[in-house]
Amino acid sequence: MSQELSYLPVVTKQRIMDEVNFAPPVRIKPALDDGTGALRNADIKVIGLHGKNDIEIQNVIEIASRRARRDNLFDQVVVADLTNKSNLVMIQEEVARALNLRLSDGIWYRWRCYQTGTSIIADRARQICEQIRRKGRILIILHNLFQGFDMDQVGIPFGDTHGGCKILLASTNEEVIKHKMKTDTIISL
């Protein structure tokens, strides 16, 4: 008796979502349509998305990023989850991770920053900014914001500094999106 092993093909969440004719839930459809329209609009560079339900926000992000890939709106879509990221260094590390960028670190790096009078945060921001500018058309999704921060200090170019970069900021905290971040349009769920 011969024993043969057979393997099933690997089924991922992305593969299932791509293969199924997926209709978004009715509750998020208006926000999803507004978000997709904002992604297509060349004048809008920073989009704010807020709502009470984190699962609905996550659904909008997943569907909008899938549509952006499908419609070839961007060369790359990057999602960084900023849950429990409370300072600039942690935010920079999460954005760099999403970009597959290894930030300089270590004793010699710190010594060089000290010798040149450059802060470590500013040098890391420069590295992130250079990586993003090399990408061309890129959508950066920052999810689970719970406080405002300066995108320049993190290294995310926006507005006229990088025409091919769009940013989608998502939070359950309406105050952060409306008053603490610079957005061109705000979408409410």
Side-chain angles (χ1 to χ4, degrees):
M1 182 186 279
S2 171
Q3 292 183 345
E4 291 184 28
L5 293 175
S6 64
Y7 297 95
L8 294 172
V10 176
V11 178
T12 63
K13 180 180 175 185
Q14 184 66 39
R15 183 173 169 193
I16 291 171
M17 296 300 279
D18 289 341
E19 291 177 0
V20 174
N21 185 7
F22 182 73
V26 175
R27 266 187 78 155
I28 67 169
K29 188 160 177 19
L32 185 59
D33 292 341
D34 292 346
T36 304
L39 291 175
R40 292 178 186 280
N41 188 336
D43 296 329
I44 297 174
K45 302 294 184 194
V46 182
I47 304 161
L49 171 67
H50 71 85
K52 301 284 184 218
N53 188 332
D54 192 46
I55 294 171
E56 289 179 353
I57 291 173
Q58 183 66 35
N59 284 340
V60 170
I61 288 171
E62 284 184 21
I63 296 168
S65 64
R66 197 169 343 111
R67 285 183 181 179
R69 283 185 192 104
R70 179 194 67 198
D71 297 343
N72 200 24
L73 297 176
F74 301 97
D75 298 326
Q76 185 174 8
V77 177
V78 174
V79 180
D81 187 351
L82 302 183
T83 304
N84 299 324
K85 306 296 187 271
S86 59
N87 62 40
L88 286 176
V89 173
M90 294 171 79
I91 294 171
Q92 284 178 329
E93 288 172 355
E94 182 61 26
V95 171
R97 185 204 57 74
L99 290 167
N100 292 322
L101 171 66
R102 185 168 180 255
L103 293 172
S104 299
D105 204 5
I107 190 75
W108 295 113
Y109 169 72
R110 293 173 189 275
W111 177 253
R112 183 180 59 84
C113 286
Y114 173 75
Q115 289 294 314
T116 60
T118 306
S119 78
I120 292 172
I121 291 175
D123 193 65
R124 289 172 143 213
R126 179 192 55 77
Q127 293 175 54
I128 291 170
C129 188
E130 287 175 0
Q131 180 76 3
I132 291 171
R133 285 195 171 127
R134 275 186 280 224
K135 298 289 184 182
R137 299 176 308 154
I138 184 170
L139 172 62
I140 300 174
I141 301 172
L142 302 175
H143 181 48
N144 288 328
L145 292 175
F146 67 95
Q147 68 181 16
F149 63 89
D150 185 355
M151 286 190 275
D152 285 330
Q153 287 186 325
V154 172
I156 300 173
F158 63 97
D160 295 333
T161 59
H162 186 320
C165 180
K166 276 209 189 208
I167 302 161
L168 173 62
L169 305 169
S171 178
T172 55
N173 187 339
E174 182 177 355
E175 178 73 18
V176 170
I177 296 297
K178 286 191 173 181
H179 302 293
K180 295 186 178 177
M181 300 301 295
K182 300 173 190 171
T183 57
D184 297 327
T185 187
I186 297 174
I187 301 167
S188 300
L189 270 173

